[in-house]
Amino acid sequence: MPTFAAWDGTTLAYRSLGGGDPLICLPGGPMRDSAYLGDLGGLSSHRSLVRLDLRGTGRSAVPSDASSYRCDRLVADVEALRVHLGLARLDLLGHSAGANVALQYAARHPDRVGRLALITPSTRAVGLEATAPLRQEVTRARAGERWYPEAASALESMVTGRATGDAWQAIAPFFYGRWDTAARAHQAVEAAQRNQEAARMFGADGAFDPPATRAALAAHPRPVLLLAGELDLGAPPGLVAQLAELMPGAELVVQPGAGHYPWLDDADRFTATVSAFLR
């Protein structure tokens, strides 16, 4: 696996899959091993996917300063990767929490971004939060699923502060369009792939400056794709639509029947949408 030196000397790793022009892929979690992205449903047949393991995750080294896990400081790691690859501009894909890094990179370095694809994005970088009604729109659509009663009860316990330790596991089906064998296998390795200390630091004080980021994105000159999953509890379509309103010219696509990992729910549809945008 190739490596490069970050701004503070930390050794960071990445893996390239497929061929063609590079697409830098930033994982979510936050701070999850990029392995969970796989080949993004076959997107590697259209572009060379450069999956970055964020510091302290996957095969990247643990930094000496834990405060460098903060989201705004990870932007410098993306810039170091751009320099390492010798690219004048990056085509950038951010999934979930990784979208916060991508958004802040685009705000700080607009001239170094080509196309920006944000997949089921977290919106903390711009100060948007999912409201209860937005989440209810997607959860109620699952009422006919066998797992729904247990998952809905666990979600309610989390909202009211009565959650037990297994609540997160109980609501896992809400993040997948189909709670099948593939989804269960994907979810089963999540905890082992995440650096919990880094995840706690990711959103620490100072990690986000929503007014500044919003102002920069309002003038963002390059194409942007926002892809939401119709059934995604993590980034409900209504929330992603609010993000689209902050970025003039952004293209919003809601993938039918998809959850938080739309390449698992319908790989062909996901790949067709993203590859068409990246052309």
Side-chain angles (χ1 to χ4, degrees):
M1 180 177 288
T3 62
F4 65 100
W7 55 274
D8 62 348
T10 302
T11 298
L12 302 182
Y14 63 95
R15 176 171 296 173
S16 295
L17 303 172
D21 293 334
L23 174 66
I24 310 306
C25 302
L26 305 180
M31 307 307 288
R32 185 174 176 183
D33 185 336
S34 69
Y36 83 91
L37 295 171
D39 71 345
L40 287 170
L43 190 60
S44 60
S45 65
H46 299 270
R47 298 292 293 267
S48 175
L49 307 183
V50 181
R51 291 187 341 211
L52 175 63
D53 280 344
L54 299 174
R55 55 181 53 223
T57 71
R59 297 191 181 182
S60 288
V62 173
S64 58
D65 180 4
S67 70
S68 67
Y69 289 133
R70 230 173 59 177
C71 182
D72 59 321
R73 295 178 178 171
L74 296 175
V75 170
D77 291 344
V78 179
E79 175 62 2
L81 176 58
R82 181 194 69 81
V83 172
H84 168 75
L85 295 174
L87 299 174
R89 281 182 175 169
L90 298 177
D91 282 347
L92 196 56
L93 180 148
H95 173 245
S96 189
N100 293 303
V101 183
L103 285 167
Q104 293 197 75
Y105 184 88
R108 196 179 302 177
H109 303 295
D111 58 327
R112 297 172 191 171
V113 176
R115 291 181 176 266
L116 177 63
L118 304 178
I119 311 303
T120 58
S122 168
T123 54
R124 296 178 70 185
V126 294
L128 293 175
E129 296 185 5
T131 62
L134 287 177
R135 296 198 190 279
Q136 288 168 356
E137 286 181 16
V138 296
T139 57
R140 288 173 178 170
R142 316 299 295 275
E145 305 274 5
R146 288 188 302 170
W147 48 262
Y148 178 82
E150 180 184 0
S153 177
L155 185 60
E156 176 65 18
S157 73
M158 296 172 74
V159 171
T160 58
R162 300 179 290 103
T164 60
D166 58 357
W168 276 107
Q169 179 62 38
I171 69 169
F174 280 128
F175 291 87
Y176 294 86
R178 296 187 307 275
W179 188 233
D180 55 13
T181 300
R184 287 183 171 89
H186 189 264
Q187 193 275 331
V189 298
E190 178 180 1
Q193 290 178 334
R194 185 182 297 188
N195 181 329
Q196 296 293 354
E197 177 190 10
R200 288 189 293 270
M201 185 59 67
F202 180 84
D205 289 347
F208 307 114
D209 185 349
T213 303
R214 283 178 177 236
L217 294 176
H220 187 69
R222 306 297 297 170
V224 179
L225 170 67
L226 302 177
L227 192 151
E230 179 187 23
L231 303 175
D232 183 17
L233 177 65
L239 178 66
V240 182
Q242 292 177 30
L243 175 59
E245 293 173 0
L246 302 179
M247 307 178 73
E251 176 187 358
L252 173 64
V253 175
V254 178
Q255 182 171 315
H260 201 58
Y261 309 93
W263 62 90
L264 295 180
D265 297 312
D266 188 336
D268 290 344
R269 184 185 290 269
F270 174 82
T271 300
T273 299
V274 180
S275 63
F277 167 75
L278 292 171
R279 287 182 189 143

